[in-house]
Amino acid sequence: SAIGGNDLADDQLDITSSMKEIFELQYELYKAGARNFVIFNIAPLPPPADDASDAFRDMLSKREKRCVEWNAMLPSYIDDFMAAYPDSTMFLFDLYSHYKTMQEDPTSYGFSEKAGRMDDEEMYLDNIHPSSKAHKHIAWHLGSFLSGMEMDKDREEKYDK
């Protein structure tokens, strides 16, 4: 299952209830025979453009805090699920850190220095949705994570070309 920052934009959404619901759905998958799960935490929102209004920046700040809150709760829910169902395995993929790294050092990932901000049309297509190129980098890191070893950095660079 996937949940993103835009899903947490509603201030009325109870994060704890939503987290419980996600794990109830994971249990339904478990009952159906699934035993191995990859759970993604929530990626950070891209920083706003320099000319963004204060109201927009405030809204983004609130949304980012909710993403951080979600990500902080997630490991304990994973631990509880695996304790209750010891024949299951859950892997937590740290999407947040990978996107944060790309935002802070875009040139290392083949983006221009201006990339990593909303509407940059390189890393993000709009205010929050990553580009295909950004998804390719995340897919490479996910493959590396699932294989249990860091894949050849040179292969990541070639993967994007």
Side-chain angles (χ1 to χ4, degrees):
S1 60
I3 190 165
N6 54 334
D7 297 306
L8 299 176
D10 180 2
D11 289 342
Q12 303 305 309
L13 180 76
D14 181 339
I15 291 178
T16 302
S17 295
S18 296
M19 182 77 69
K20 287 178 182 175
E21 184 177 344
I22 292 285
F23 278 85
E24 287 169 4
L25 293 170
Q26 292 296 129
Y27 175 66
E28 294 299 317
L29 291 171
Y30 176 86
K31 286 192 323 188
R35 294 295 181 269
N36 299 304
F37 304 90
V38 177
I39 308 294
F40 291 47
N41 63 10
I42 296 179
L45 294 168
D50 292 335
D51 62 350
S53 70
D54 288 341
F56 186 70
R57 289 176 186 282
D58 184 53
M59 183 272 301
L60 289 177
S61 176
K62 287 177 184 174
R63 193 179 286 185
E64 181 72 10
K65 286 177 186 171
R66 290 175 60 79
C67 290
V68 169
E69 182 181 350
W70 177 276
N71 290 346
M73 290 173 57
L74 192 54
S76 65
Y77 276 81
I78 290 171
D79 290 344
D80 290 349
F81 189 94
M82 289 195 319
Y85 309 103
D87 61 333
S88 69
T89 304
M90 286 191 160
F91 299 98
L92 176 59
F93 181 68
D94 188 4
L95 198 58
Y96 188 93
S97 293
H98 288 296
Y99 270 105
K100 201 69 160 166
T101 299
M102 281 196 301
Q103 289 172 355
E104 292 171 353
D105 188 14
T107 59
S108 290
Y109 294 89
F111 296 103
S112 74
E113 286 189 32
K114 74 175 187 89
R117 302 178 74 79
M118 291 186 168
D119 294 316
D120 65 19
E121 297 180 3
E122 285 186 71
M123 194 180 296
Y124 293 93
L125 300 174
D126 57 18
N127 286 345
I128 57 173
H129 296 101
S131 66
S132 293
K133 185 174 179 177
H135 279 114
K136 285 180 182 179
H137 287 291
I138 294 302
W140 182 88
H141 285 287
L142 178 61
S144 188
F145 171 76
L146 291 174
S147 73
M149 64 180 111
E150 188 66 26
M151 292 165 52
D152 183 359
K153 179 69 175 164
D154 186 49
R155 292 188 65 209
E156 178 192 12
E157 293 165 0
K158 289 177 184 172
Y159 179 69
D160 186 49
K161 292 184 171 53

